[in-house]
Amino acid sequence: MNIMVTGATGEYGNYALQYLEKVMPKSNLYALVRNPQNATKIEQMGINVRIGDYANLDSLLSAFHGIDRLLFVSTSIPKIQKNVVDAAKVNGITYIAYTSIYRPELNKFGLELNHRQTEKWIEESGIRHTFLRNDWYLEVNQAMFNLAAQTQQFPLLNKSGILSYALKREYAEAGAKIILADNYGPVANLAGKPFTYQQLAEATESALGQKLNIQSVSKDQFNSIMRQAKISPQFQQAVALYQEYSLDPQNGAAEANSSEFENILGHPLTSLPNAIKSLL
């Protein structure tokens, strides 16, 4: 029984490989890598490496030869994921666990469109599958945690907006356990415990072990604080976007429940202060 993890040089893929290599023979574990130059670390782990690019069907047809189960780590680039599904079907892959998005029927910055389409392709392929409907990674708030550590400030565009987060490694562990067990249903709803940005700020205080200046600010003030701390415009925009999105009552966070996620893991999710501490 051969298992392949795609996107193996990314953080999710690497976390999944680290879990799987501890619990299954490395001779049966495969990693899909797009750039051969990035394969060295994985090869040093004793894991089989195959070279393939989602945008190149022929490379996937070759890379998937002899693979039984596929932990399909998604990309945000539209359309090319169909190549993954087509190559899996040609090669007789019997099971796919695909990293989708939590509540894909709702607005998720447009990311839901690609995931809904890919889920449809997988369903149409007839391959048995589990859609790993992952909620947000806590890591998207990394710039806020770095800002707090550097300046003891935690500016809030709102205090009451709700979102659900968990660590990327926890989502990857759940995906690894599901692909390994090969007996889950068609959907796994993986959401953390919902919390407000005020609670996120207070958890950051706990993680740092010091008081922070937690204050409500305007968008201009927020941007100014981030610029002064030399937070890149890209991360500045991202953390602001999530804070604003948390106010949308239709984002699905209020109904998020971590019980299914924790049942799959076999242990509780990392507490918010400890999760933040691990990112600092």
Side-chain angles (χ1 to χ4, degrees):
M1 182 272 296
N2 294 327
I3 292 176
M4 173 174 278
V5 177
T6 73
T9 56
E11 289 183 343
Y12 181 104
N14 197 257
Y15 283 134
L17 286 172
Q18 287 178 36
Y19 178 83
L20 288 168
E21 64 142 350
K22 295 174 184 175
V23 296
M24 66 174 287
K26 290 183 182 180
S27 59
N28 296 117
L29 183 56
Y30 291 77
L32 185 74
V33 174
R34 184 170 62 87
N35 187 340
Q37 294 179 342
N38 297 330
T40 305
K41 283 188 177 180
I42 298 173
E43 290 172 335
Q44 290 172 346
M45 293 167 67
I47 295 170
N48 302 293
V49 172
R50 297 269 181 89
I51 307 301
D53 188 333
Y54 287 7
N56 185 327
L57 177 59
D58 288 340
S59 73
L60 299 178
L61 289 169
S62 176
F64 290 174
H65 181 71
I67 301 301
D68 301 298
R69 305 177 194 171
L70 188 69
L71 180 50
F72 177 4
V73 182
S74 57
T75 177
S76 59
I77 301 172
K79 299 183 180 179
I80 65 172
Q81 295 199 133
K82 189 172 189 301
N83 288 334
V84 180
V85 181
D86 289 346
K89 185 173 182 178
V90 170
N91 276 280
I93 285 175
T94 59
Y95 180 50
I96 292 175
Y98 168 69
T99 61
S100 188
I101 199 165
Y102 180 68
R103 299 290 301 273
E105 74 277 11
L106 303 178
N107 171 35
K108 303 285 182 174
F109 305 116
L111 297 171
E112 74 282 358
L113 302 175
N114 187 36
H115 288 298
R116 287 205 302 256
Q117 178 64 78
T118 304
E119 287 190 6
K120 186 171 183 290
W121 287 327
I122 294 172
E123 287 174 339
E124 291 172 347
S125 75
I127 300 172
R128 193 164 52 85
H129 58 270
T130 299
F131 298 141
L132 307 170
R133 289 186 174 163
N134 298 340
D135 213 347
W136 303 113
Y137 297 144
L138 183 62
E139 285 86 341
V140 300
N141 295 293
Q142 185 72 60
M144 293 301 301
F145 305 143
N146 292 345
L147 176 74
Q150 292 170 22
T151 70
Q152 290 71 59
Q153 297 185 82
F154 203 105
L156 296 172
L157 294 173
N158 76 81
K159 292 187 176 183
S160 58
I162 299 173
L163 281 184
S164 158
Y165 289 114
L167 288 167
K168 191 178 295 184
R169 64 172 172 80
E170 293 175 312
Y171 289 108
E173 180 186 342
K177 286 187 171 179
I178 285 175
I179 198 68
L180 189 65
D182 187 30
N183 60 2
Y184 210 78
V187 172
N189 288 302
L190 305 177
K193 297 171 183 175
F195 51 82
T196 67
Y197 267 84
Q198 175 70 30
Q199 291 171 317
L200 184 67
E202 291 167 358
T204 306
E205 277 189 327
S206 179
L208 289 168
Q210 60 181 322
K211 293 294 291 182
L212 298 175
N213 180 20
I214 303 170
Q215 58 174 329
S216 297
V217 297
S218 68
K219 186 69 174 290
D220 286 344
Q221 289 172 320
F222 181 89
N223 290 337
S224 176
I225 292 169
M226 299 296 274
R227 282 196 302 271
Q228 288 174 20
K230 297 183 179 179
I231 303 296
S232 74
Q234 177 187 358
F235 289 123
Q236 176 182 318
Q237 182 180 16
V239 293
L241 197 63
Y242 279 96
Q243 284 206 36
E244 291 167 342
Y245 175 72
S246 71
L247 286 169
D248 181 357
Q250 302 301 316
N251 65 27
E255 298 82 35
N257 187 311
S258 64
S259 59
E260 184 173 1
F261 197 171
E262 293 178 326
N263 285 340
I264 291 167
L265 291 174
H267 59 76
L269 290 167
T270 307
S271 70
L272 193 53
N274 285 337
I276 294 169
K277 188 180 295 185
S278 74
L279 297 179
L280 288 169

